[in-house]
Amino acid sequence: MALPLYIITLILSSSLLFFVQPMVGKMILPLLGGTPAVWNTCMVFFQACLLAGYAYAHGSGAWLGARKQAWLHLTLLAVPLLVLPIGFGADVSPPASGNPVLWLLVQLTLCAGLPFFVVSASAPLLQKWFAQTGHPSAKDPYFLYAASNVGSLGALLGYPLLVEPNMALGAQTTAWSVGYGLLVVAFICCAIALWRSKSSIATPDAALDSSPRVSMGWPRRLHWIILAAVPSSLMLGVTTHVTTNVAAVPLLWVVPLAIYLLTFIMVFAARPPISHRAMVQSFPFVVVVLGLLFFAPPQELGWYVIPIHLGAFFVAAMVCHGELARCRPGTQHLTEYYLWMSFGGVLGGLFNAIVAPLTFNSIAEYPLAVVAACMLMPRTSATPPSRLKSQDSRLRSQVSRLRSQVSLLDFAMPLGVGLIALAIVTGLKMSAVPLTWLSLMAVFFIPAFLSFQFKESPIRFGLAIGVVLLVTAFYAESGSGDVLAIERNFFGVKKVMFSPDGRTRLLAHGTTNHGSQAVDAAMQDEPLAYFHRRGPLGDVFKTIADEGSRRPVGIIGLGVGSIAAYASPNQQFTYYEIDPAVEVMARNETFFTFLSKCRGTVDVVLGDGRLTIARAPDKHFGLIILDAFSSDAIPTHLLSLEAMNVYLSKLADDGLLAFHISNGFLNLEPVVARLADQAHLACISRSDRGVRRDELADGQLAAHYVVMSRIPERLAALESKPRWHRCETSKDVPVWTDQYCDILGVLRLPQPGTEPAHMAQRPPPREPSREDDSGELKVR
């Protein structure tokens, strides 16, 4: 009975660990604007707690022995019962300025730190206990790690698919508390099984392990740490890439994490379903394909590119975790092995969540992790070693081989590949070849093909791929305008830059244009991009101006302050902006002058838009505009029914509520129309799925707006204008709430000949249109 009991307890504990992560992330997300950094910071916190739990399991076992450790752990299990259920205080509010990472870590510690720490010790602790039960399988208990990850994977996938749609957060925390109580009971049973075992009495400090007793050198520990750190960094890099332009929701959080866990399950299985050699052999091919996608505009490729990134991450994690599994020690070092593995995971998370934002002014950590994974790849020609044969001798021989094989050629040949790539770039520039997909592929694929020939030399291959990525990035950036200022903080990367033709200055957040202003002084009062006077928002303000209304306007999302150009004299415009860096850039008159030259009164309130506008007087605004984006993604908590109730409470009875819902990945009009129907509002929409060449030359970009009102007659004048139409409401579209947002039902798949709703910060590289005799690039 010992084996089923331990398996059940491990599955229950791991399920609780990975159920609480998306649950807590969902609790905190609305306070910090839906940025992907929220989940990355949460992951660092949970990895740090996991490290603390593994350190406790290792240290207490070495100090007390298994029998006394069981008494200690049962006592510790009782403490979190005093602080459950998990939850944040009602008055919790993030700082209005500065980096909120420290504040977030403190809140996570207060909210979930103690329960998560106690549960996180379960995997190494239970495996160590089982190794001392005398069971026939106790000699190699690592298969239990795979069982533990099965529970983790089940909880991760079950949360967005089953729990989130059907249970409110309050019910979720209650369910987690009940599960924790069951875990306490299961641990008591496991402790009893341990105490009754004769082997645990005979050998209280060591497992019955037939593998050779070997010393634990630092090269071995460092190897474990690096093999664990790189996939951890890759996981957060992929998550940031996926959620930046789509949406920060639990479903998109858990998929990379589920893949991460799946690789652990597969490599630690008694019989791995995919051979390690096959993964190693396929990885160089995957890297070459993935490399070009770093430069592909996500709005152009849509959802199709996401599975490629996830698939590449799966192969990379299988390679690194496969090596980690092959290097595992005997059971006498089991808890130490998990401790260093966890430490590596924390280092990878810290690099992405804290070090990279402070060090890089772009999202460089993702390609850097790919390069590191290349360098960790074993040689496919190497003979697979046996784990039970003198592992220290094997590691020493590997280190010795590495020292002898690393030569100047490992640095000279990647440098030569880089020079070839630079020669191609120089040739294209001198020939005045425009930046197109064909030229971009020439710069990348020819040197990448040469790099591929080094796949049997991991260091040479990794460095060569890194150089190719660097040169290709230089070439891709050369097609955009000059950068005037750049800043990366918790909320992402912001650039102030000239457009490629030099006629406008724009603010790019991630991959998306967040507003622009003409360089020509005569045109600087004109709102451009998605706020153009000929666009949907121009129609809205023209209608209001015709009515003679000068009531206050509330705007969630600042950008460059373009909407302030519509203010009438003495009219009050109040912006609600979560990112302090955006306000600094918008107020810098060297870059933009919409705020400083506004004819009305402009206030900027820092903080999450939904929370800060809630402090405005009731019925205060004649118009509220939702224009909040994180790169191309609209924070989903701003599109929920609860958010709608906040907006309506601040809107005058005859006021207008406008949603800017341009998005290249999600068709949000049915979602907003469903909210309007739920609130009994009239609702109309205008979607500019494309702009003419003359409109583009005038600074206009395609935009999609939905406008609603309590009084249908208030929309009559606007509806009479071209391209406006009544929104159709479908009962098949669920109402988005704080509890659940169904993004799968509103996917926008790219179709040939159609325009993405939200424009990239620069035109995607494309061949000149045959219809355009001037040779000017057509913008998608």
Side-chain angles (χ1 to χ4, degrees):
M1 285 296 293
L3 180 58
L5 175 62
Y6 276 82
I7 289 177
I8 291 172
T9 307
L10 274 168
I11 291 177
L12 178 58
S13 65
S14 59
S15 298
L16 290 174
L17 279 180
F18 286 87
F19 181 98
V20 75
Q21 293 182 35
M23 181 179 73
V24 170
K26 188 174 178 64
M27 289 179 182
I28 201 71
L29 185 69
L31 301 178
L32 291 167
T35 173
V38 173
W39 178 245
N40 285 359
T41 306
C42 288
M43 284 303 302
V44 170
F45 167 77
F46 290 127
Q47 288 173 323
C49 285
L50 193 69
L51 174 62
Y54 282 13
Y56 152 73
H58 174 67
S60 61
W63 181 41
L64 299 174
R67 294 172 64 82
K68 293 181 180 179
Q69 184 190 45
W71 282 110
L72 172 64
H73 193 66
L74 292 181
T75 303
L76 191 61
L77 279 167
V79 179
L81 295 172
L82 303 176
V83 299
L84 294 178
I86 290 172
F88 294 97
D91 57 345
V92 170
S93 178
S97 61
N99 194 323
V101 168
L102 181 60
W103 173 88
L104 178 54
L105 292 174
V106 170
Q107 294 304 318
L108 290 170
T109 302
L110 297 175
C111 169
L114 181 58
F116 194 91
F117 163 73
V118 174
V119 178
S120 67
S122 300
L125 190 145
L126 287 172
Q127 289 179 64
K128 189 71 172 180
W129 289 4
F130 178 74
Q132 301 188 32
T133 60
H135 190 277
S137 301
K139 294 180 181 180
D140 186 12
Y142 285 99
F143 70 94
L144 290 175
Y145 190 62
S148 172
N149 282 297
V150 167
S152 304
L153 185 60
L156 270 181
L157 297 179
Y159 185 85
L161 299 178
L162 299 175
V163 176
E164 187 187 18
N166 300 305
M167 295 179 67
L169 279 172
Q172 293 175 28
T173 59
T174 300
W176 197 92
S177 300
V178 172
Y180 184 83
L182 295 176
L183 180 66
V184 173
V185 175
F187 254 102
I188 292 174
C189 297
C190 289
I192 293 174
L194 173 69
W195 292 330
R196 289 180 175 179
S197 170
K198 294 182 180 180
S199 61
S200 69
I201 299 174
T203 57
D205 246 350
L208 300 176
D209 183 17
S210 61
S211 61
R213 298 281 173 163
V214 295
S215 61
M216 294 293 295
W218 278 106
R220 175 195 296 275
R221 295 185 177 99
L222 184 61
H223 195 211
W224 292 342
I225 291 170
I226 296 174
L227 286 172
V230 171
S232 174
S233 175
L234 273 173
M235 176 185 65
L236 296 185
V238 171
T239 303
T240 299
H241 181 86
V242 170
T243 58
T244 293
N245 291 299
V246 184
V249 293
L251 176 63
L252 297 181
W253 293 339
V254 304
V255 172
L257 183 54
I259 292 173
Y260 180 78
L261 294 175
L262 180 63
T263 60
F264 273 120
I265 294 172
M266 298 177 75
V267 301
F268 279 95
R271 295 180 178 178
I274 303 178
S275 74
H276 182 55
R277 187 180 182 86
M279 289 289 96
V280 173
Q281 290 175 334
S282 63
F283 186 51
F285 296 91
V286 171
V287 169
V288 172
V289 174
L290 178 65
L292 187 60
L293 295 183
F294 287 130
F295 312 103
Q299 292 89 352
E300 175 78 9
L301 299 178
W303 285 82
Y304 301 143
V305 74
I306 294 177
I308 300 176
H309 281 276
L310 295 176
F313 168 58
F314 170 77
V315 176
M318 284 291 290
V319 170
C320 294
H321 289 161
E323 282 298 293
L324 199 56
R326 293 204 312 164
C327 295
R328 63 188 187 270
T331 54
Q332 73 269 26
H333 298 298
L334 182 147
T335 54
E336 184 180 2
Y337 171 70
Y338 286 126
L339 176 63
W340 292 117
M341 186 193 303
S342 177
F343 181 65
V346 172
L347 288 183
L350 286 172
F351 175 70
N352 280 57
I354 296 177
V355 176
L358 297 175
T359 306
F360 307 125
N361 57 17
S362 64
I363 309 297
E365 58 270 23
Y366 183 16
L368 281 176
V370 172
V371 171
C374 293
M375 298 174 71
L376 290 174
M377 181 179 63
R379 295 173 182 269
T380 56
S381 59
T383 302
S386 170
R387 183 179 70 86
L388 296 178
K389 290 183 180 180
S390 188
Q391 294 186 27
D392 264 356
S393 298
R394 190 185 94 212
L395 188 61
R396 281 194 294 269
S397 66
Q398 287 177 342
V399 173
S400 176
R401 243 187 353 259
L402 180 64
R403 288 172 177 169
S404 63
Q405 291 169 353
V406 174
S407 65
L408 287 177
L409 286 178
D410 287 319
F411 300 94
M413 296 187 76
L415 181 60
V417 170
L419 292 175
I420 293 173
L422 283 174
I424 296 173
V425 171
T426 302
L428 293 172
K429 292 291 187 182
M430 292 180 65
S431 303
V433 176
L435 177 64
T436 65
W437 278 115
L438 185 61
S439 64
L440 191 65
M441 286 190 290
V443 172
F444 177 80
F445 272 125
I446 294 176
F449 175 78
L450 296 176
S451 303
F452 185 80
Q453 310 309 309
F454 307 148
K455 63 182 185 299
E456 287 297 328
S457 178
I459 293 179
R460 192 177 303 176
F461 175 66
L463 290 176
I465 288 294
V467 170
V468 173
L469 290 174
L470 184 63
V471 174
T472 310
F474 164 76
Y475 176 65
E477 285 298 318
S478 68
S480 61
D482 295 336
V483 176
L484 302 174
I486 185 168
E487 180 170 344
R488 181 178 180 183
N489 63 6
F490 183 81
F491 300 100
V493 179
K494 277 77 58 179
K495 294 180 183 179
V496 178
M497 56 197 300
F498 283 109
S499 61
D501 60 11
R503 296 171 58 187
T504 62
R505 284 183 292 266
L506 61 89
L507 172 63
H509 184 185
T511 61
T512 305
N513 180 339
H514 277 216
S516 57
Q517 187 173 29
V519 173
D520 185 353
M523 293 290 295
Q524 288 187 350
D525 291 338
E526 290 299 314
L528 305 178
Y530 324 105
F531 318 103
H532 201 281
R533 295 190 189 274
R534 288 202 301 261
L537 193 64
D539 286 348
V540 172
F541 277 100
K542 178 66 166 57
T543 301
I544 293 176
D546 291 343
E547 296 171 349
S549 174
R550 294 188 178 183
R551 285 183 294 183
V553 176
I555 307 157
I556 297 179
L558 173 60
V560 302
S562 302
I563 301 177
Y566 288 103
S568 300
N570 301 319
Q571 188 177 18
Q572 181 186 6
F573 273 45
T574 304
Y575 284 95
Y576 299 93
E577 171 59 48
I578 195 169
D579 190 346
V582 171
E583 182 188 11
V584 172
M585 290 177 170
R587 289 193 180 279
N588 188 331
E589 296 185 34
T590 305
F591 303 147
F592 309 105
T593 59
F594 287 119
L595 298 184
S596 61
K597 294 185 177 181
C598 177
R599 293 180 298 170
T601 302
V602 176
D603 295 319
V604 178
V605 180
L606 289 177
D608 177 74
R610 174 173 158 181
L611 298 178
T612 50
I613 199 173
R615 296 196 287 265
D618 290 344
K619 311 295 183 182
H620 180 65
F621 297 109
L623 171 65
I624 293 178
I625 302 171
L626 179 73
D627 182 47
F629 288 85
S630 176
S631 191
D632 199 29
I634 302 175
T636 55
H637 73 287
L638 298 179
L639 296 176
S640 68
L641 183 61
E642 293 83 355
M644 173 72 84
N645 292 333
V646 173
Y647 307 149
L648 292 177
S649 69
K650 308 304 171 184
L651 187 68
D653 291 335
D654 61 344
L656 299 179
L657 180 58
F659 288 80
H660 182 195
I661 58 171
S662 303
N663 188 278
F665 295 89
L666 305 177
N667 177 21
L668 295 171
E669 181 174 321
V671 174
V672 178
R674 191 76 169 89
L675 289 174
D677 179 69
Q678 192 75 10
H680 307 291
L681 304 177
C683 180
I684 62 175
S685 169
R686 173 179 164 181
S687 175
D688 296 339
R689 296 297 296 160
V691 291
R692 300 188 308 269
R693 283 185 53 222
D694 60 318
E695 294 174 332
L696 182 63
D698 195 36
Q700 183 177 352
L701 295 180
H704 190 180
Y705 280 80
V706 172
V707 181
M708 55 190 70
S709 175
R710 296 185 179 94
I711 304 173
E713 292 75 17
R714 286 281 287 115
L715 301 177
L718 189 58
E719 189 179 2
S720 66
K721 296 181 180 297
R723 303 186 189 179
W724 288 91
H725 65 274
R726 289 275 173 176
C727 295
E728 296 183 3
T729 302
S730 173
K731 301 296 183 182
D732 294 333
V733 177
V735 177
W736 282 19
T737 66
D738 286 349
Q739 175 184 331
Y740 181 60
C741 298
D742 178 25
I743 66 169
L744 293 179
V746 291
L747 299 185
R748 184 194 299 278
L749 300 180
Q751 300 175 358
T754 61
E755 309 278 348
H758 214 182
M759 308 303 295
Q761 66 190 33
R762 56 181 170 83
R766 170 176 293 276
E767 298 285 357
S769 170
R770 295 186 179 181
E771 300 175 1
D772 183 359
D773 295 335
S774 68
E776 181 181 353
L777 294 182
K778 288 185 71 176
V779 178
R780 287 281 306 261

